[in-house]
Amino acid sequence: YTGAMCTLDGITLRLGGHVILDHASVAMPPKARVGLVGRNGAGKSSVLKMIAGIYEADEGRIDAPAGMKIGYLRQEAPSGSATPFETVLAAAEERAALLDEAETATDPHRIAEIHERLNTIDAHGAPSRAARILAGLGFPEDDQHRPLTEFSGGWRMRVALAALLFSEPELLLLDEPSNHLDLEAALWLESFLRAYPASLIIVSHERDMLNNVVSHIVHVDRGKTTLYVGNYDQFERQRNERQAQDAAMRAKQETKRRKLQAYVDRWRYKAHTARQAQSRLKALQRMAPAAEVFDDASLVFDFPSPKEVKPPLMMLDKLAIGYEPGTPVLSQIDLRIDPDDRIALVGRNGNGKTTLARALAGQLSPMDGRIKASGKLGVGYFAQHQIEELVPEDTPLQHMERVMPFAKPGEVRNHLARFGFSGDKVSVRISALSGGERARLSLALVTRDAPHILILDEPTNHLDVDAREALVQALAGFGGAVIVVSHDRHLLSLIADRLLVVDGGRAMEFDGTLDDYRDSILGAARSGRGKTEAAKAPAPESAPIKVDRKEKRKAAAEARERTKPLRKAIAEAEVDMKQLTVKRDAVDAKLLDAPRAGASDLMKQRGQLTRELEDAEARWLEASEAVEAAMAGVEV
């Protein structure tokens, strides 16, 4: 045996007539914490299922230490009359068996062995550990003792996750474990996995989780697997360097190919040069193509910016909303939304985030209070159910034509192209699109009229890491307000500058950053406080004790309006910095193989790019400092 935690040796896997993995090999080091990454459909989940023994490879083999206890989260949610607490405790099979045996054993030596083993596995501490895991995943104490039949499928999947974590396998296999979680539970899970004592392999599109939990990355791409040392950010840097080198090698190879082909074309039919031409033709045929970097339309998001409307866009005054008369879900909500607001709705699932989002989108009428909005206001609302409501037999073009009945054909196609649907892709049936493509189409549908407020309820669930990054960049360039519900902390940290905690029947501003909120949630989990206490965590010491919230919001809105040109300059500088960095990295890759004669020109080119990059950085810093100074004392 190789000594690795797990080894894939020449694995070929075919599913539904398609080759998913093609002679893929990778050796994962002992005690590694591995993140499996790759585009949707690349085969990440298939790798986990093969390691778990659910799929069998067509060729090759998978090696793991003999007797290793492997735990895999299956997609079937537990059911029945058992409670979450009982279900989780039952996952400790050895403990349950020993306790049963202890009830009937009569041999004193065996009884002693049983109790010694129970002490070794801390059987007596198991109930409190099970309760802590369930609490971390969002189950208050009362809910832990309700029958599973009273919970939705998503909550029962949380019970399955809790049971798997409680069982502490030597190799933990997790496939998108945060899909059914809210931000609070996802934060707890990340903290739990960071402290997990054994090996794990996780498929996740959560950049922060991959950065904070894993020690290695396995990239699954076009049927192959490649191991990288480090977290996701380190993997991305290494991948970009490799792509730049591949691009340089491809350019160098193409030049050589053209020279060989030109010689062959010119001399192959001349008697005195035919032999030389023939040898060059063989060399041309032997040239293996360099690795190619493929552009992917799934990374295209381009939100149309709305026409200007004077602030505020919307005002909520003592708003009460709900579904049953006399029983509001949320009440006493005061909120002002301005054109450049970026607001994250946070709080446990079931507390009313989606209810508030629906009210803001005009899909839920107030029970009390009022919503005052500009007469020209446009709102785009994206919710997960919209993806499921797409007509499977229709095409993206047919969907868009229905919602843009008076638009010219070119306008319809141009809007689809903003989201990666162009050429033949507009005529593909919905049933043939991936989950990520359906999400992009849904976003295209809700932004067709360039809304002033974009409300996004879990927009990243069907997107891989690269597509999520593209979405973040598109939202950063969007010219309207954004209100988002998401458990993706990377997205929230880059997009949201205001947090609205939806909890206990209220929606209140959180005085602090996303990191402050994370600390309050994890602190509450460690100390055993309830979720309401976490939402009411104290503000940072620098926050004023008494503030006129309306006056401060008005001052902040005015300051943001004044700094709009500066914010645009920041965004432009960031784009320039990214593009110049990519160009400079490409030049660096060329320098690795450049002959001495050509290196001088490349060094000059690199120097020019460096100067332009420094200029962009200076512009970014100057504008950022100016915005910070203008907003000092008025941000809320």
Side-chain angles (χ1 to χ4, degrees), residues 356-373:
L356 179 54
R358 291 189 61 198
L360 295 173
Q363 296 187 1
L364 198 59
S365 300
M367 288 181 167
D368 198 5
R370 63 173 184 159
I371 299 177
K372 183 180 178 182

Side-chain angles (χ1 to χ4, degrees), residues 146-162:
R146 289 166 50 200
L148 287 172
T149 51
E150 296 183 13
F151 294 92
S152 68
W155 282 96
R156 284 186 282 119
M157 282 306 301
R158 291 197 193 199
V159 175
L161 175 59

Side-chain angles (χ1 to χ4, degrees), residues 163-174:
L164 178 61
L165 298 178
F166 178 76
S167 69
E168 290 191 335
E170 295 167 277
L171 176 55
L172 178 62
L173 306 178
L174 295 173

Side-chain angles (χ1 to χ4, degrees), residues 204-216:
S204 177
H205 296 313
E206 308 285 344
R207 181 185 287 257
D208 279 14
M209 183 170 287
L210 293 172
N211 275 332
N212 297 331
V213 171
V214 308
S215 61
H216 294 74

